[in-house]
Amino acid sequence: MTAVKERPRVAAPRPRAGAGRLAALVLLVAACWGTLLLTTAPATGDPVLLTTSPGNTEVVKSPDAVVLTFDRPVPAALATIRILDPDGSQVVFTRPSHVDGREDRISVPMPAERHEGTYAVAWTVPSSRLEPVSGSFTFDVSYPIQPDGVPDIETTRNPVVAAVHLTARTLSVAAMVVLAGLAFFVAAIGPATVRARATRWWIRTTWWLVVGGTLVAFVSLGPYAAWVPWRAAFDPRLLAGAAESDAGGALLARLAILVPATLGLTLLVKSPPAATAAGRWQRGAAVLGCASAVLATWTFADPRPPGAPSPLALAADAGLLVALAVPAGGLLLLRFPVARDRHAISRFARAVPVFAALLALAGTAQAWTGQRLGWLPAGSLALAAVLAVFAWLLPRRPVKARLGPRAVAPAGAAVVVTVATATLLALAPGQSAHAQGPAGQAPAAIRQQAPPARLVSGTAALDLVVIPGADRLDVRVSVLSPAGDGTTVTAALGRAPVPLERAGTACWAGRVSTPGPGRWELELTVRAGDGRTQTVKQPIDVR
């Protein structure tokens, strides 16, 4: 009888388990990006004052409050309204509040004792760059008396507030970049490094720096945007105002996205290393997917020009930080012997050129989209070249003894670019579309944003705002009377019609190309629902 040796059976792969892991990774990335989309509101841009009550230069009996209506929601707690009575004394010291639950309308109460004469009002709200959008106007109680002046509003930031806020924003961005790089290295480059105490210490430390820096940036945003001392940082109204603002909402969104991202990071650290190359790169792709959602909050949390970022600009910002993250995290871990495994070095050397190319692509996209701080695209391209050279040299000499010194230059360059980017964007000067003008001045020059001009003709009352652009005039018209859904407004500047569209309740907006220099007449025609038509005219000086 012949004995037959049975060959050991090779365990068949379990496709369901692999598919399940892949589905879980996809779900994790979807949770991070879903949280970003649900919690990050579109950028609102700079607010425009549409109408005031009382109106500019209007004669009224005895108003109970001063109400300002803007073309978009404004954080009331971060706004300031100051009022001088006819004697030149300041009579309002409280912060504004929203009226009737409308987030686009703020108000302050008038004092119980009111005098006859002219009251001067000055106001300010934070722009999209957290710089003040401000203006002033006057109204008269009973009859006009020449005012003694316009109230001053403090627009010098407390140095402690500015230092704390800018440092926290810078630190949180730099920590996000390093944390993303560390997680990618552990997931796709050197899974064995997760067992090292130094690796886990760096992951915990950078995570706390992200969370702590974001919290400090949020708490200090109120005093920073409202121009008040640090002691007011925990004022509930300022915290609520910070949450209403674009920048504060993005900071809260970052904390919300960190919830699913942290869950994935915890599973990555505690799970056994991936056994196959496909498993490593699946985890690495999931890390980059979650990290890009967290890093995208940088675009919304830092002061930006008016308007939401375009998809290309958002992709360029996220691509820049992702491309910085992978080399930065890898170079940090390669300073420790535990990461200097031959296979990890080889994988890192192959990955760095890919992210150097991404860095170059992001820099080119930023230059293409007109990125502010023009040095940033050039710095991205230069750093991409440094990383490419480093990746070429990395596997060509023994790495045990000389890797540390050779990593100093590219690591330092990555740190400098990351920190300088966050710092200079935080310090970027404001670019407001508004300019302060004398109280009561009508919008006569296209380079000024004056208070809404109160125009009255018969029973028609309008508030008119004209905002200059590079080659156009933006026209905003608010109809105060007659009211009704059937009211329509048409406009013309000289012989050129101004197309107007509804921009809200009893509000129309439109724009027209800038005519040649000279004095032009803006003609507004209001047609009520009952068919009555009235015309209001306003001269406009084009310089």
Side-chain angles (χ1 to χ4, degrees):
M1 188 175 201
T2 305
V4 178
K5 293 185 179 179
E6 185 177 354
R7 295 182 180 180
R9 295 182 180 181
V10 179
R14 296 188 297 174
R16 290 186 179 180
R21 286 193 294 269
L22 180 60
L25 294 176
V26 172
L27 183 62
L28 179 63
V29 175
C32 292
W33 276 97
T35 304
L36 173 67
L37 297 176
L38 291 174
T39 57
T40 303
T44 57
D46 290 342
V48 176
L49 180 63
L50 294 180
T51 182
T52 65
S53 177
N56 182 35
T57 70
E58 184 181 12
V59 179
V60 295
K61 290 185 178 180
S62 183
D64 295 325
V66 171
V67 181
L68 310 182
T69 303
F70 295 86
D71 68 334
R72 65 201 66 200
V74 294
L78 303 185
T80 303
I81 298 178
R82 294 285 183 262
I83 302 177
L84 294 185
D85 66 10
D87 296 330
S89 302
Q90 185 169 309
V91 294
V92 172
F93 298 92
T94 60
R95 289 208 166 272
S97 59
H98 289 301
V99 181
D100 300 329
R102 290 186 53 174
E103 296 183 351
D104 61 343
R105 183 174 291 179
I106 61 176
S107 172
V108 290
M110 288 286 288
E113 183 179 351
R114 302 157 200 164
H115 304 283
E116 295 179 335
T118 301
Y119 284 75
V121 182
W123 59 270
T124 180
V125 296
S127 70
S128 61
R129 285 181 176 264
L130 301 183
E131 297 298 325
V133 174
S134 56
S136 59
F137 65 97
T138 64
F139 65 90
D140 305 304
V141 174
S142 299
Y143 57 87
I145 298 178
Q146 185 66 27
D148 287 346
V150 178
D152 293 328
I153 296 179
E154 178 64 38
T155 55
T156 302
R157 287 195 172 97
N158 183 287
V160 175
V161 171
V164 169
H165 182 71
L166 298 177
T167 300
R169 285 216 319 249
T170 301
L171 184 63
S172 61
V173 171
M176 283 192 301
V177 169
V178 175
L179 179 60
L182 293 173
F184 181 81
F185 193 95
V186 167
I189 304 295
T193 58
V194 75
R195 296 193 294 266
R197 181 178 301 177
T199 302
R200 298 191 178 212
W201 183 89
W202 274 109
I203 290 176
R204 287 195 303 268
T205 301
T206 50
W207 186 91
W208 280 111
L209 287 175
V210 173
V211 174
T214 302
L215 286 174
V216 173
F218 176 78
V219 171
S220 58
L221 177 61
Y224 183 83
W227 311 83
V228 297
W230 173 255
R231 62 177 177 272
F234 292 96
D235 184 339
R237 295 197 60 196
L238 280 182
L239 292 174
E244 292 180 36
S245 67
D246 293 344
L251 292 172
L252 293 179
R254 180 184 299 166
L255 295 176
I257 300 168
L258 279 175
V259 174
T262 301
L263 174 61
L265 182 62
T266 302
L267 293 176
L268 175 65
V269 171
K270 292 186 176 182
S271 300
T276 63
R280 289 196 308 271
W281 291 109
Q282 285 178 5
R283 293 185 180 187
V287 166
L288 295 184
C290 294
S292 60
V294 178
L295 295 171
T297 60
W298 171 56
T299 302
F300 298 98
D302 279 308
R304 299 282 154 163
S310 66
L312 178 59
L314 184 61
D317 283 353
L320 170 70
L321 295 186
V322 168
L324 284 173
V326 173
L331 291 170
L332 178 62
L333 289 182
L334 287 176
R335 296 285 296 172
F336 300 98
V338 68
R340 299 179 196 172
D341 174 77
R342 177 172 58 88
H343 299 293
I345 297 296
S346 177
R347 294 173 194 143
F348 187 66
R350 292 194 299 268
V352 168
V354 175
F355 290 95
L358 177 61
L359 187 60
L361 182 62
T364 304
Q366 288 171 334
W368 180 265
T369 57
Q371 175 75 31
R372 66 268 166 213
L373 302 174
W375 68 271
L376 187 54
S380 301
L381 296 174
L383 181 57
V386 171
L387 292 174
V389 173
F390 175 76
W392 182 77
L393 293 174
L394 185 60
R396 284 167 171 73
R397 293 184 181 180
V399 298
K400 293 291 184 180
R402 303 193 59 181
L403 181 60
R406 289 160 60 188
V408 170
V415 169
V416 168
V417 170
T418 303
V419 175
T421 296
T423 303
L424 291 180
L425 284 176
L427 293 173
Q431 295 180 355
S432 173
H434 301 254
Q436 289 187 355
Q441 178 180 337
I446 68 169
R447 296 188 181 278
Q448 288 184 339
Q449 167 63 43
R454 179 62 54 88
L455 309 179
V456 180
S457 176
T459 59
L462 311 173
D463 267 356
L464 171 66
V465 176
V466 178
I467 303 174
D471 56 356
R472 68 178 187 272
L473 296 176
D474 288 346
V475 178
R476 313 291 177 93
V477 182
S478 299
V479 179
L480 308 178
S481 63
D485 295 337
T487 302
T488 59
V489 179
T490 57
L493 184 63
R495 296 182 179 180
V498 181
L500 296 178
E501 297 181 356
R502 276 191 180 269
T505 304
C507 178
W508 284 259
R511 61 181 53 177
V512 63
S513 299
T514 305
R519 190 172 182 83
W520 300 79
E521 188 173 68
L522 182 65
E523 183 177 284
L524 302 169
T525 301
V526 182
R527 181 180 295 275
D530 57 7
R532 290 182 299 171
T533 301
Q534 297 190 46
T535 300
V536 183
K537 299 180 179 181
Q538 171 69 24
I540 302 291
D541 290 335
V542 177
R543 299 175 181 176

